[in-house]
Amino acid sequence: MEKKITILDKTFSLSINNDQITAAVDSIAQRLNRDLKDLKEEVIFVGILNGSFMFVSDLFKKINFLCRITFLKLASYSGTQSTGTIKSLIGINENLKNKIVVVLEDIVDSGETLENIVYQLRNFEPAAIKIVTLLFKSEAYKKDIKIDYVGIKIPNNFVVGYGLDYNGYGRNLTEIYSLTK
Ligand code: IMP
Ligand code: MG
């Protein structure tokens, strides 16, 4: 029987199980290890909070070369700010200049958030910016920024679990559930 859960007013059904998540994380780690291990520039991973924390934790344990990690958050405004405004990136206190910056995202949907992050990171003059996302809603993506590493492509439907939330809830689920229609 289909595994279902309820969060607040919505019902979600199991969409991506533990084995599929582990396989996707392993695959990304292997590709990153292969592509980034022998570069002359220093590599710094940048996890985007909050949603990516679980993915980053699992992925980073599988990275096998010398590197650093830091975390950033997009400042969120309540009330008056309309959506689509540029939110400032907070938490950059590392020197990113001339480094390979590897952005770790939980999910890319329209790409608005990612574009915003990349534009702001470019101001720090990194040698390169690589983009990693566990989940990618390819049909919803509207931007030109190349996503270098995708874990799992998913349909354009809202998901929760494994760090992703619905109104702040559901992040602790170990598997990924999608909204039932
Ligand atoms: P975008 O700016 O449209 O690409 O949306 C990206 C942000 O919206 C992500 O970083 C998430 O915080 C949130 N988001 C987009 N889709 C989902 C989803 O299906 N579940 C939970 N959060 C999502
Ligand atoms: Mg996010």
Side-chain angles (χ1 to χ4, degrees):
M1 214 185 75
E2 210 180 7
K3 204 160 145 192
K4 292 202 169 179
I5 53 152
T6 299
I7 301 175
L8 306 175
D9 58 331
K10 303 225 184 301
T11 308
F12 296 83
S13 57
L14 183 60
S15 169
I16 305 171
N17 68 27
N18 273 318
D19 289 347
Q20 293 169 298
I21 293 171
T22 303
V25 174
D26 279 350
S27 160
I28 293 172
Q30 274 179 30
R31 285 179 275 158
L32 290 170
N33 285 332
R34 179 197 64 201
D35 296 348
L36 304 179
K37 70 172 185 296
D38 291 323
L39 300 180
K40 62 179 193 303
E41 295 93 353
E42 197 181 330
V43 173
I44 181 159
F45 287 87
V46 175
I48 309 299
L49 296 174
N50 294 323
S52 75
F53 75 95
M54 221 177 260
F55 168 52
V56 171
S57 166
D58 287 342
L59 180 76
F60 200 54
K61 285 179 262 187
K62 294 172 179 165
I63 298 300
N64 61 15
F65 55 88
L66 193 72
C67 60
R68 298 189 211 213
I69 188 163
T70 189
F71 292 88
L72 300 178
K73 197 174 164 83
L74 282 171
S76 52
Y77 305 101
S78 55
T80 56
Q81 300 275 343
S82 65
T83 52
T85 52
I86 299 281
K87 294 177 176 178
S88 61
L89 265 183
I90 54 176
I92 303 186
N93 42 30
E94 310 286 327
N95 180 10
L96 304 181
K97 192 167 173 154
N98 299 328
K99 296 187 178 148
I100 308 283
V101 171
V102 184
V103 173
L104 302 177
E105 264 286 22
D106 50 353
I107 188 163
V108 175
D109 187 326
S110 70
E112 203 69 53
T113 307
L114 180 69
E115 185 181 67
N116 196 331
I117 290 166
V118 168
Y119 284 175
Q120 294 189 59
L121 286 175
R122 281 182 187 155
N123 294 328
F124 294 86
E125 299 175 37
I129 301 175
K130 301 285 176 198
I131 310 296
V132 179
T133 188
L134 176 64
L135 304 177
F136 182 42
K137 292 184 186 172
S138 53
E139 294 155 26
Y141 193 60
K142 291 199 218 60
K143 303 292 177 181
D144 296 324
I145 291 165
K146 183 177 172 229
I147 319 262
D148 301 280
Y149 303 88
V150 172
I152 304 171
K153 275 191 196 171
I154 62 167
N156 193 6
N157 189 21
F158 193 81
V159 292
V160 290
Y162 197 66
L164 290 144
D165 72 301
Y166 168 51
N167 281 358
Y169 297 99
R171 294 192 195 275
N172 51 327
L173 296 163
T174 62
E175 301 180 289
I176 295 168
Y177 291 76
S178 67
L179 186 62
T180 55
K181 286 179 198 154

